[in-house]
Amino acid sequence: MAFFTHHVCRGLSTSAARHVVIKHVMIIGGGQMGAGVAQVAASTGHSVTLVDTSDDILKKAVKGIEGSLKRVVKKKFADKPEAGEEFVQKVLQNVSTSTDAGSAAQGADLVLEAIVENLKIKQDLFSGLDKLAPAHTIFASNTSSLPISDIASSTNRLDRFGGLHFFNPVPMMKLVEVIGTSATSQETFDSLLNFSKMLGKTPVSCKDTPGFIVNRLLVPYIVEAIRLHERGHGSKEDIDIAMKLGAGYPMGPFELSDYVGLDTMKFIMDGE
């Protein structure tokens, strides 16, 4: 994944990061998660640079953000369509795009990756950015299955590295899991908590353990549903209906697996 075209080295400090007020956010990955976080950050007044490997991917991501915003303003500005359009344009002005991660990182307070769940690719990405980003810049991963400490190990800013695990669809889901490793400084952790709150989200503090909180509890439940069906003890449809009507869940385990993506589910299971 070729994200780098410039190689300008910055001096790096290994001391604990000071408390950083996050205003400029660089998000790597223009897929559903990355674009969702970009939308929410831009909507709350942050300057966002969305980075991916091609302009086509980025154009599609921005178009998706615009479509999502228009759906939001239809409800939020039902009686004031002009104000709604003004809001959409204002948010979109907060979003810029780039295929050059190295250049974009030089102005970022926070670098958040939301790319493929592959440890080596994430490590290579952050290793390269570590040499280019300012010393104060906080790095974070949106991984749902990989240890944050393993991703951070490719950098020299272990104290300025944490996890920000958002949930899909990001504009709708209120939760953010904020993950600290044994090396994450309190200042970094507080900055990530405050950033989550600034986005209008509710953060929960997590340790760097497999699955964090939500997936640690959710994935075994989904796996058990699959086993139940495999043994002929219930159809997929009946299991989904039972959990929706009996436990009050908005989706049953099979519907949820399809929504999350079976490939993502496999990554999470392997991680646990």
Side-chain angles (χ1 to χ4, degrees):
M1 301 183 74
F3 282 108
F4 300 103
T5 57
H6 291 306
H7 295 278
V8 181
C9 287
R10 297 292 184 99
L12 292 175
S13 163
T14 54
S15 62
R18 60 186 169 81
H19 177 70
V20 174
V21 177
I22 296 167
K23 294 179 181 176
H24 303 284
V25 185
M26 171 181 157
I27 298 166
I28 306 168
Q32 241 183 346
M33 293 302 294
V37 177
Q39 177 185 326
V40 172
S43 298
T44 49
H46 295 83
S47 168
V48 177
T49 304
L50 187 60
V51 176
D52 214 308
T53 52
S54 78
D55 288 325
D56 286 345
I57 294 170
L58 291 167
K59 281 175 189 170
K60 186 179 176 183
V62 172
K63 193 175 179 182
I65 291 170
E66 185 175 6
S68 178
L69 285 169
K70 284 180 176 175
R71 287 191 293 276
V72 170
V73 300
K74 248 184 182 177
K75 294 178 183 177
K76 196 174 178 182
F77 298 92
D79 302 326
K80 301 175 183 175
E82 286 181 8
E85 182 56 33
E86 192 179 318
F87 173 76
V88 170
Q89 293 310 315
K90 189 177 177 184
V91 172
L92 290 175
Q93 282 171 14
N94 288 336
V95 181
S96 60
T97 61
S98 177
T99 55
D100 183 358
S103 178
Q106 291 170 33
D109 300 316
L110 171 68
V111 172
L112 174 68
E113 70 79 15
I115 61 173
V116 64
E117 288 287 79
N118 180 296
L119 180 60
K120 179 73 165 60
I121 291 173
K122 291 181 192 287
Q123 286 176 330
D124 288 348
L125 173 67
F126 280 120
S127 175
L129 291 175
D130 193 34
K131 300 173 181 70
L132 302 169
H136 79 275
T137 304
I138 294 171
F139 285 0
S141 173
N142 181 60
T143 182
S144 55
S145 62
L146 299 170
I148 301 296
S149 56
D150 286 359
I151 303 170
S153 68
S154 64
T155 74
N156 290 314
R157 60 180 80 210
L158 302 184
D159 57 326
R160 286 151 286 154
F161 208 118
L164 281 175
H165 183 215
F166 291 83
F167 292 82
N168 194 28
V170 179
M172 303 291 294
M173 299 293 277
K174 284 289 188 185
L175 184 69
V176 179
E177 290 180 320
V178 181
I179 303 105
T181 72
S182 57
T184 306
S185 72
Q186 191 59 51
E187 291 86 356
T188 295
F189 195 78
D190 289 344
S191 292
L192 293 174
L193 282 173
N194 290 334
F195 173 66
S196 303
K197 290 173 186 173
M198 288 295 293
L199 297 185
K201 302 299 184 188
T202 301
V204 291
S205 301
C206 301
K207 299 295 183 187
D208 189 22
T209 55
F212 313 130
I213 293 175
V214 173
N215 284 327
R216 183 70 172 266
L217 299 172
L218 183 64
V219 172
Y221 149 74
I222 290 174
V223 170
E224 194 56 35
I226 293 167
R227 286 193 184 118
L228 196 68
H229 174 62
E230 280 178 343
R231 290 166 185 159
H233 296 166
S235 70
K236 295 188 295 291
E237 294 76 15
D238 281 350
I239 292 168
D240 275 357
I241 290 169
M243 294 312 295
K244 284 194 279 190
L245 301 185
Y249 290 6
M251 291 185 190
F254 290 98
E255 188 180 355
L256 182 59
S257 291
D258 283 341
Y259 186 77
V260 171
L262 297 179
D263 53 343
T264 302
M265 291 296 305
K266 172 82 165 54
F267 282 129
I268 297 169
M269 286 179 212
D270 289 345
E272 293 188 2

